[in-house]
Amino acid sequence: MSAFRPFLGERIALLGLGKAGMPAAQRLAAWGAEVSCWDDRPEARTAAAAAGLALANPAEGAFRWDALLLSPGIPHRLPAPHPAAAAAIAAGRPVLCDVEYLQRAVRAAGSRAGFVGITGTNGKSTTTALLHHLLRQAGRLAEAGGNLGPAALSLDLLGDAGTYVLEMSSYMLERLVAVRFEHAVMLNLSPDHLDRHGDMAGYAEAKAQVFARQWPEDLAVLGMDDAGSRALRGRIGSRVRPVSGEARQPGGIWAEGSLLQDEAGALLDLREAAALPGSHNAQNAAAAAAVALDLGLTREAVAAGLRSYPGLPHRQERVGEIRGVRFVNDSKATNADSAARALASYDRLVWIAGGTAKEGGIESLAPLFPRIARAVLVGRDAPILAATLAAHGVPHEVAGTLDAALPRAAEIAFAGAAPVVLLSPACASWDQFTGYDARGDRFRALVAELAAGLAAPAPSQPSSPCGRAA
């Protein structure tokens, strides 16, 4: 049994035994907590019991625990609270996020490891992975996770010199009560998850929690390329460093054209960072650089890390080039604003889009429609997207499935319509896939199959009896 038991005597109810819940339950139990687990799926409860975890439904009877650790995807307020969350709230118990317990454990271990929280409607995964890459390439000890990759309670305990780089969703941020991020990043704000937060004001308030509890000496990195983020500046009590992919920011980091710079001069020509195309990625690079420099990395180390960053799966991931056509997997673009960032990165493209549309559909993408040589649509709401494209005179067709769309899009591109086939769906994936990652994986596999099929030699002709082709 581990001697490190910071939660000894605490009673924690845990609901949701997915990729974050199961490791959280096991870690908290190992650290001394009395953990009672539940999941509405019987198969998940069976797996938890097989792992030796205690089961109890926190929605039944009096809520007897000190706190409820609730999976981010399960609502505790809107659109309707899960019964377990309602029971916890009625009993006056907090509904928490796993990052709360990670920071408590780190501090209980006597470590002063730094915590970086990164949020925004779009770009937070790229910026999280990019900052982690910068730190590791510079020889720093760092762990990355949260909404991206490993769950917070799967991460190692780091010593004083370590840094946790955590992607924070609005679902996670609204369940923090004591976490302090010494470095906090807000990239941008546009409408998303309004069913969970009620309206845009509620969503912005949840996102702004990344800056809550900061001390005056802490750093707030604030994106300046949208009105929603800019509006938060007046409520931040820590040091603010503005960042932009489009315009000069006094006291900040910005891109002018392809040149990333601050008031001390140029950091890097971003054309040398192949995995960071477009002005949105320029802002992501500026944000990661702002934190890295504040953590003591040299300008040379930041530039070298930006150059060597390999990119994220499913985020403008180049998955192949066939007959001079690039195939780009941007499956993580599950809303129009995110897709806009990919569309703006290419002058001419064949666009694969569709799935389960978000509120507003793709009307906001109209200024980028002239870049689309042809759209090939998939998924449940393909007819809705088709109607918008038709109203703007954009050539399009409905393929139905990704398996049908990829070869058709390739055919159009090979005929000379465009040098890029872009999967950037602007829609959620739940109608046909288990998630955007499964959708992107399938796209990658289809491109590989297409490349292999085109590279295969043509079948030989049957020979005549005298050895010549018949």
Side-chain angles (χ1 to χ4, degrees):
M1 181 178 293
S2 170
F4 181 64
R5 294 168 68 77
F7 303 117
L8 188 64
E10 291 195 33
R11 299 168 302 166
I12 302 170
L14 187 149
L15 178 66
L17 291 164
K19 69 174 186 177
M22 183 68 87
Q26 293 171 318
R27 200 72 172 288
L28 290 170
W31 283 345
E34 178 189 315
V35 182
S36 300
C37 301
W38 195 255
D39 195 293
D40 292 335
R41 299 168 299 151
E43 63 273 18
R45 299 198 297 270
T46 300
L53 295 168
L55 296 176
N57 186 348
E60 293 181 351
F63 191 88
R64 62 183 187 274
W65 296 271
D66 300 313
L68 174 64
L69 179 54
L70 188 63
S71 172
I74 302 173
H76 72 285
R77 285 197 293 262
L78 298 173
H82 188 280
I89 293 168
R93 300 294 188 265
V95 178
L96 299 176
C97 159
D98 57 357
V99 174
E100 195 80 38
Y101 289 101
L102 173 65
Q103 189 168 86
R104 282 184 57 196
V106 170
R107 299 297 180 245
S111 172
R112 294 176 296 174
F115 278 74
V116 182
I118 298 174
T119 197
T121 304
N122 297 298
K124 55 187 179 292
S125 295
T126 293
T127 305
T128 300
L130 177 56
L131 176 59
H132 184 239
H133 175 78
L134 295 181
L135 294 171
R136 295 292 294 269
Q137 289 296 108
R140 299 293 187 90
L141 186 62
E143 291 273 290
N147 195 54
L148 166 74
L153 286 172
S154 296
L155 302 177
D156 291 337
L157 289 178
L158 300 178
D160 292 350
T163 302
Y164 293 95
V165 185
L166 301 174
E167 178 185 322
M168 300 297 297
S169 69
S170 59
Y171 297 172
M172 298 167 71
L173 286 165
E174 68 178 353
R175 293 179 186 160
L176 298 181
V177 297
V179 169
R180 168 191 165 211
F181 293 114
E182 294 93 346
H183 293 81
V185 178
M186 170 74 79
L187 295 164
N188 48 66
L189 276 173
S190 59
D192 204 8
H193 306 307
L194 300 188
D195 59 329
R196 275 284 293 266
H197 302 293
D199 53 23
M200 190 61 194
Y203 176 57
E205 182 61 31
K207 287 290 196 182
Q209 292 304 302
V210 76
F211 301 123
R213 297 169 295 280
Q214 278 198 307
W215 296 357
E217 62 266 31
D218 294 337
L219 182 69
V221 176
L222 188 61
M224 303 302 287
D225 293 342
D226 68 286
S229 287
R230 290 195 298 270
L232 296 176
R233 188 164 190 169
R235 60 184 292 181
I236 296 172
S238 55
R239 295 180 294 131
V240 176
R241 191 153 203 203
V243 294
S244 172
E246 300 173 355
R248 180 182 179 89
Q249 298 298 322
I253 301 181
W254 67 93
E256 288 186 15
S258 65
L259 197 63
L260 187 69
Q261 57 191 310
D262 61 11
E263 291 182 335
L267 277 163
L268 180 71
D269 187 328
L270 288 170
R271 288 176 294 187
E272 299 175 34
L276 296 167
S279 64
H280 63 292
N281 273 322
Q283 182 179 264
N284 295 340
V291 176
L293 291 169
D294 204 64
L295 286 170
L297 269 66
T298 65
R299 299 171 71 82
E300 293 75 18
V302 169
L306 292 172
R307 286 191 197 97
S308 61
Y309 175 62
L312 271 179
H314 316 300
R315 172 53 78 200
Q316 291 214 58
E317 175 193 12
R318 298 186 182 189
V319 298
E321 183 167 327
I322 307 170
R323 295 182 180 175
V325 173
R326 277 178 289 159
F327 291 80
V328 180
N329 168 23
D330 194 49
S331 182
K332 200 172 187 298
T334 59
N335 58 52
D337 189 59
S338 185
R341 297 161 187 270
L343 290 171
S345 298
Y346 308 100
D347 293 332
R348 196 71 174 158
L349 59 116
V350 179
W351 185 33
I352 300 177
T356 305
K358 299 287 182 72
E359 185 177 351
I362 59 169
E363 183 63 41
S364 64
L365 299 177
L368 295 165
F369 286 167
R371 298 170 183 255
I372 300 169
R374 193 169 189 86
V376 183
L377 305 175
V378 301
R380 188 194 75 180
D381 291 333
I384 296 174
L385 273 61
T388 302
L389 294 172
H392 291 273
V394 180
H396 64 278
E397 58 192 76
V398 175
T401 66
L402 192 55
D403 283 42
L406 185 278
R408 177 59 183 145
E411 178 185 14
I412 295 165
F414 292 157
V420 174
V421 171
L422 172 69
L423 170 69
S424 190
C427 294
S429 58
W430 307 116
D431 56 329
Q432 295 183 338
F433 296 92
T434 57
Y436 74 81
D437 49 351
R439 177 171 61 188
D441 288 343
R442 183 58 186 158
F443 179 78
R444 190 189 302 111
L446 289 167
V447 172
E449 291 171 12
L450 177 65
L454 292 175
S460 57
Q461 296 289 332
S463 298
S464 66
C466 61
R468 294 173 301 186

